[in-house]
């Protein structure tokens, strides 16, 4: 079940808890990708809170939002780069994206397998994707007052298994949202402390979201060696063929 774009916008841009979540996840993402100079960066789901740092250096930034969720103009005050699309049929050509960010897309998808196939299709060979999903062992997945309390939460092993089944190679992972999902002033003011402290704990049980980077695995060509490769090396041509020794 996809959330409504108006609810997502309200959470991330108009609540203290949402702004804290935005900062924490963005910091983890920038730890993976400090910049994207000259690259095409695509976001799917509601990834716009994480795309802004790449607007200046990237060749192009595209924010795709699934039909059931709805879309909005983004970024505010600049030419729109957001577009509405079918969940498993994106208006992008094969191999168009260098980097892909999926936030509030995988856990709410009605067909996660087909969605991952579409992620594969639009990435360049060796392209990188970051998937941000609710941690099933974390507190945020247990509270439906935030967007992370909806959809299917994941454990790290579940997400890695699903990605590897769709020709992704997991390269690194992290977590974010160690502070409790509370809008009380104390927790909001100490959010930075909890994020720093939480990184020294087990991400499987403490972090509210998993942040997993994976690369598009390029399959080796099938069919074996071609006939011309099986022939003897041409460097041997012209040498006398062995024959019987003279008596």
């Amino acid at each position: 079940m996809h959330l409504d774009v108006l609810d997502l916008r309200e959470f991330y841009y108009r609540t203290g808890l949402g702004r804290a979540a935005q900062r924490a996840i963005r910091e983890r993402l920038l730890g993976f990708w400090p910049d994207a100079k000259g690259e095409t960066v695509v976001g799917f789901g509601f990834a716009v809170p994480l795309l802004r740092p790449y607007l200046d250096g990237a060749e192009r930034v595209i924010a795709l939002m699934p039909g059931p969720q709805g879309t909005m103009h983004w970024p505010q005050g600049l030419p729109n780069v957001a577009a509405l699309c079918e969940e498993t049929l994106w208006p992008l050509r094969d191999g168009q994206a260098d980097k892909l960010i999926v936030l509030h897309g995988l856990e709410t998808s009605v067909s996660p397998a087909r969605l991952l196939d579409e992620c594969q299709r639009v990435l360049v060979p060796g392209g990188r994707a970051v998937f941000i999903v609710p941690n099933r062992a974390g507190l945020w997945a247990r509270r439906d007052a935030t967007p992370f309390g909806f959809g299917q939460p994941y454990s790290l092993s579940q997400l890695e298994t699903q990605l590897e089944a769709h020709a992704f190679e997991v390269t690194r992972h992290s977590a974010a949202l160690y502070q409790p999902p509370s809008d009380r002033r104390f927790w909001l003011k100490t959010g930075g402390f909890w994020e720093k402290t939480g990184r020294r704990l087990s991400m499987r049980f403490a972090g509210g979201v998993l942040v997993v980077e994976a690369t598009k695995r390029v399959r080796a060509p099938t069919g074996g060696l071609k006939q011309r490769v099986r022939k003897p090396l041409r460097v041997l041509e012209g040498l006398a063929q062995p024959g019987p020794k003279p008596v």
Side-chain angles (χ1 to χ4, degrees), residues 6-246:
L6 297 180
D7 294 331
L8 290 165
R9 183 180 64 180
E10 179 73 18
F11 174 74
Y12 278 107
Y13 295 106
R14 298 178 183 175
T15 70
L17 185 59
R19 288 191 290 270
Q22 181 180 160
R23 286 193 300 269
I25 300 172
R26 185 189 291 178
E27 184 178 345
R28 291 291 82 211
L29 177 63
L30 290 174
F32 287 174
W33 301 344
D35 59 63
K37 292 180 180 178
E39 296 181 305
T40 295
V41 182
V42 176
F44 176 76
F46 194 77
V48 290
L50 309 180
L51 293 176
R52 184 170 287 276
Y54 304 114
L55 284 174
D56 290 336
E59 179 179 353
R60 190 174 186 185
V61 173
I62 304 169
L64 299 178
M65 301 187 186
Q69 170 188 292
T71 189
M72 67 181 195
H73 181 103
W74 188 88
Q76 188 175 3
L78 295 173
N80 180 58
V81 301
L84 197 66
C85 70
E86 294 288 341
E87 182 182 87
T88 57
L89 186 62
W90 300 355
L92 302 177
R93 64 178 183 272
D94 294 359
Q96 185 171 350
D98 299 290
K99 287 183 167 70
L100 172 65
I101 302 167
V102 179
L103 174 64
H104 300 304
L106 185 61
E107 73 274 15
T108 56
S109 173
V110 296
S111 182
R114 291 178 60 196
L115 175 58
L116 289 175
D117 287 340
E118 192 69 355
C119 294
Q120 264 280 334
R121 182 186 69 79
V122 303
L123 278 171
V124 300
R128 293 185 288 172
V130 163
F131 298 88
I132 300 107
V133 298
N135 181 1
R136 66 177 301 178
L139 294 176
W140 289 68
R142 305 175 191 180
R143 188 179 179 209
D144 59 9
T146 80
F148 300 100
F150 294 84
Q152 175 63 51
Y154 285 84
S155 67
L156 180 59
S157 61
Q158 286 174 331
L159 181 55
E160 288 181 334
T161 299
Q162 193 163 6
L163 292 175
E164 289 168 359
H166 291 269
F168 281 102
E169 181 179 353
V170 175
T171 51
R172 50 186 167 172
H173 52 73
S174 184
L177 301 189
Y178 293 98
Q179 70 181 83
S182 170
D183 57 4
R184 292 187 177 181
R185 180 172 296 183
F186 171 79
W187 297 115
L188 294 179
K189 289 184 67 174
T190 59
F193 167 79
W194 293 112
E195 291 301 314
K196 292 177 182 178
T197 303
R199 291 171 202 157
R200 296 193 289 268
L201 304 176
S202 171
M203 57 168 278
R204 297 174 185 240
F205 302 106
V209 297
L210 303 174
V211 184
V212 178
E213 181 195 58
T215 59
K216 177 177 179 175
R217 192 165 60 228
V218 181
R219 301 179 189 274
T222 58
L225 295 174
K226 295 183 179 179
Q227 185 64 32
R228 64 182 179 86
V229 180
R230 294 195 185 103
K231 292 180 179 180
L233 296 176
R234 292 185 178 277
V235 72
L236 299 179
E237 290 182 358
L239 295 180
Q241 297 297 318
K245 292 182 179 180

